[in-house]
Amino acid sequence: MHVRNPNYWGDGPNVDSVEILGITDPIVRVNALLSGDITLMEGLNPKAIKQVESNEGAGGVSVPSGAFMGICMLKTKYLGNNNDFVRGMKLLHRWEKLVDKLLKGHGTVGNDHPINIAYGKDFCEDLPITPHDPDQAKFYLNKSGVTSTEIVGGEVIPGVTDACLLWQRECQKIGFDLKVKKVTTDGYWGVVWQQEPLNVTTWTCVRRQR
């Protein structure tokens, strides 16, 4: 609970108090918003956008931010230290489809790093996006000698599990066996993240003010 400071020297504060709650279940979080139990929430699952927008007493705001979803391939472990494998897997991502279908247009295409348009001058528009090229992907995966692997992921950010399943379908098209192991978010950051060779991640970077 944060309460109003009557001696604050700037503009505001504009509310008497703010209580911040951690509601990890995305369905419970949306229900709390729609029922009026909470006033604001962040991290709306794209699947729930229509549900929120159709509610007379609720709405959404989409703004560029430093938040991103990511798939980690640890370079210190096998298979991440196999450069042909890493290159082949990168070429199988369907970037535009991920943004359009999974995020419902509320996002931008990443480029193997977290610096997006929200960072202003820090974002490099001239850096080319890794293309979706299944033929080249198949070439590099064959060269790597790897025919099967597993990614371990929890829903640490809305849409990341579906992104893994989309990646899996693209792998199937070229005969590569990518298994997706779904786990709960409880204990994920200590047990799975940066422990399993392939895992999912999320982060929210704060842009430096200039």
Side-chain angles (χ1 to χ4, degrees):
M1 174 75 74
H2 301 268
V3 297
R4 177 187 183 116
N5 178 6
N7 300 315
Y8 181 65
W9 59 90
D11 294 333
N14 299 314
V15 295
D16 292 327
S17 64
V18 174
E19 183 178 8
I20 300 175
L21 304 174
I23 306 176
T24 57
D25 188 305
I27 297 176
V28 174
R29 193 162 62 242
V30 170
N31 288 338
L33 176 71
L34 299 182
S35 66
D37 290 337
I38 61 175
T39 305
L40 298 170
M41 63 165 283
E42 62 89 24
L44 177 64
N45 192 314
K47 294 178 180 178
I49 291 175
K50 287 186 177 180
Q51 180 186 4
V52 171
E53 291 179 341
S54 64
N55 189 289
E56 186 176 347
V61 177
S62 180
V63 297
S65 74
F68 71 94
M69 68 167 65
I71 292 175
C72 300
M73 291 187 278
L74 301 181
K75 297 293 289 183
T76 56
K77 296 184 178 182
Y78 184 78
L79 299 158
N81 58 10
N82 185 323
N83 291 332
D84 291 317
F85 168 77
V86 173
R87 188 168 183 179
M89 295 300 280
K90 282 184 178 182
L91 291 165
L92 286 172
H93 281 297
R94 297 288 298 274
W95 306 111
E96 291 80 7
K97 187 174 182 179
L98 192 154
V99 172
D100 293 341
K101 301 298 183 182
L102 301 188
L103 300 183
K104 311 301 181 185
H106 294 271
T108 56
V109 174
N111 198 31
D112 303 327
H113 62 74
I115 307 303
N116 62 20
I117 60 174
Y119 291 82
K121 293 181 180 180
D122 291 331
F123 174 64
C124 180
E125 295 183 359
D126 298 330
L127 191 64
I129 301 295
T130 302
H132 172 246
D133 192 331
D135 291 334
Q136 280 290 301
K138 187 173 183 177
F139 169 80
Y140 283 108
L141 287 172
N142 287 340
K143 186 178 177 184
S144 74
V146 182
T147 59
S148 176
T149 191
E150 177 182 76
I151 182 168
V152 183
E155 192 73 353
V156 295
I157 185 172
V160 72
T161 304
D162 287 337
C164 291
L165 294 175
L166 177 61
W167 200 26
Q168 181 186 53
R169 289 194 291 272
E170 294 304 315
C171 288
Q172 290 172 345
K173 292 177 182 179
I174 65 166
F176 186 85
D177 180 26
L178 175 64
K179 298 178 177 65
V180 177
K181 181 179 179 180
K182 302 178 186 179
V183 298
T184 65
T185 56
D186 294 339
Y188 178 84
W189 299 108
V191 177
V192 177
W193 183 61
Q194 292 193 341
Q195 303 299 320
E196 295 290 340
L198 269 72
N199 59 83
V200 301
T201 189
T202 183
W203 209 260
T204 299
C205 298
V206 178
R207 179 188 171 192
R208 292 182 291 114
Q209 298 297 319
R210 293 177 180 268

